[in-house]
Amino acid sequence: MLILLCFASSRWFLHVLGHSKDSELYVLNGLAMCVMFFMVRILSMPPYWSKVYSIYGTPAADRLGNLWYVMLVSCVILDYLNLVWFHKMVRGARKVLLAKRDDIALKMKAS
């Protein structure tokens, strides 16, 4: 998960160095962050929930008592937040990429 911090820090450095939000480095950093977010936070959900399902109802899970439900609820909430954040990241990436495509089309039309 700390790998995602590298992209957030790079974004801040690019901003401080004066790169505009539509610069190539800024866009590539954002796309890389979106891909890594997907790989680290979204792709890890199915294996995690598969493991939770395999443990459910076992003596070890029963020994946890109510803590089991606290863990389940907190994980559902955090997974939901990760899905919301990823959705926002994808919308932002799509908006930037479509704007870039439109800029290129306008430049080609003008020449």
Side-chain angles (χ1 to χ4, degrees), residues 43-53 71-72 75-76 79:
L43 281 182
S44 64
M45 286 180 195
Y48 170 77
W49 286 107
S50 174
K51 186 67 173 175
V52 168
Y53 180 75
M71 290 172 23
L72 284 179
C75 287
V76 166
D79 282 351

Side-chain angles (χ1 to χ4, degrees), residues 81-95:
L81 286 174
N82 281 328
L83 290 170
V84 168
W85 292 331
F86 183 66
H87 178 66
K88 288 183 179 200
M89 291 171 76
V90 168
R91 276 193 359 225
R94 185 173 184 266
K95 181 175 148 184

Side-chain angles (χ1 to χ4, degrees), residues 1-17 19 25-26 29-30 33:
M1 296 248 227
L2 288 178
I3 192 148
L4 296 173
L5 187 59
C6 296
F7 296 109
S9 297
S10 297
R11 180 182 168 115
W12 179 80
F13 280 116
L14 290 171
H15 175 73
V16 168
L17 292 173
H19 288 271
L25 276 176
Y26 208 90
N29 181 63
M33 183 168 63

Side-chain angles (χ1 to χ4, degrees), residues 15-35:
H15 175 73
V16 168
L17 292 173
H19 288 271
S20 66
K21 287 188 176 186
D22 60 348
S23 73
E24 190 172 329
L25 276 176
Y26 208 90
V27 170
L28 288 175
N29 181 63
L31 291 175
M33 183 168 63
C34 197
V35 168

